[in-house]
Amino acid sequence: MAVSTPVCDFGAKMPAFALPDPDGTVHSSDEIRGANGTMVMFICNHCPYVQAVIDRIVRDASELAREHGIGVVAISSNDVEEYPQDGPEQMRREAERHGFTFPYLYDESQAVARAFGAECTPDFFGYNAAGELQYRGRLDASGRQPGPPDAPRELFQAMVQIARTGQRPRDQVPSMGCSIKWKDEAPGD
């Protein structure tokens, strides 16, 4: 089911986290922060919305880190019992296949996704250098299919602006994607 992200909670502080990559190495939010800001994205392996833009995500993330001082991390929070294609071994293969230049972390408990208020994959959170939320929008005009090759790079441009000024872009279009696959909770939880 397609889900859109809510309006950005401008100024919200980035939740602290420490999560493992598929090899078991733990990465913390403090070590991921970039000098000029941080981009946290919730993705997964099986979502057609993510697959439609994964190469664009890698392109933009690499350029943001290399040229603009933005720390970048991807997090997978899906229930892997119901969606085994999103498990750590598959995450490792996905990162290798697409040449991820950023950590791809596994949120087994889903606590980090809940702390961020993540709704869908992909879901992008752009923070300034002070760790204040400035962007919660889409990558570009892509949906289940890639947008045109010359589609404006909305997330990229927003993060460049945040890196330079610390401030958000005025206009933001919500991201849309597959809902995060939450684990069943016990009655009363």
Side-chain angles (χ1 to χ4, degrees):
M1 175 174 79
V3 173
S4 291
T5 56
V7 174
C8 185
D9 183 12
F10 297 110
K13 287 293 196 178
M14 184 170 76
F17 61 86
L19 293 170
D21 64 22
D23 295 322
T25 302
V26 174
H27 301 263
S28 74
S29 48
D30 287 339
E31 67 187 51
I32 289 166
R33 287 179 189 262
N36 297 321
T38 307
M39 182 176 73
V40 178
M41 60 185 138
F42 290 84
I43 65 172
C44 70
N45 301 338
H46 85 274
C47 174
Y49 292 89
V50 172
Q51 291 305 307
V53 295
I54 193 66
D55 292 327
R56 294 176 188 199
I57 288 172
V58 171
R59 172 201 66 196
D60 290 355
S62 298
E63 191 173 332
L64 286 168
R66 186 178 62 249
E67 297 178 17
H68 300 283
I70 299 291
V72 178
V73 65
I75 299 171
S76 181
S77 298
N78 277 355
D79 177 358
V80 299
E81 288 196 25
E82 292 294 322
Y83 296 87
Q85 63 270 46
D86 292 333
E89 182 55 38
Q90 294 78 7
M91 290 170 59
R92 179 185 300 107
R93 288 196 293 256
E94 183 78 353
E96 289 171 359
R97 179 171 44 253
H98 294 286
F100 286 13
T101 56
F102 46 85
Y104 189 16
L105 309 180
Y106 179 46
D107 179 21
E108 181 176 14
S109 73
Q110 301 183 319
V112 173
R114 290 186 191 285
F116 275 83
E119 299 274 338
C120 62
T121 56
D123 200 346
F124 301 99
F125 295 80
Y127 295 88
N128 62 19
E132 301 163 332
L133 186 62
Q134 297 294 310
Y135 187 78
R136 179 135 186 227
R138 66 186 184 179
L139 180 83
D140 62 19
S142 299
R144 287 179 70 94
Q145 300 297 319
D150 61 346
R153 296 166 69 185
E154 295 169 42
L155 171 68
F156 178 81
Q157 292 300 331
M159 292 307 302
V160 169
Q161 179 178 333
I162 291 165
R164 289 182 181 152
T165 69
Q167 298 297 310
R168 66 184 172 96
R170 186 177 189 112
D171 297 319
Q172 299 183 19
V173 178
S175 187
M176 177 182 281
C178 297
S179 62
I180 289 186
K181 308 309 183 214
W182 300 107
K183 295 177 181 183
D184 288 335
E185 294 180 3
D189 284 354

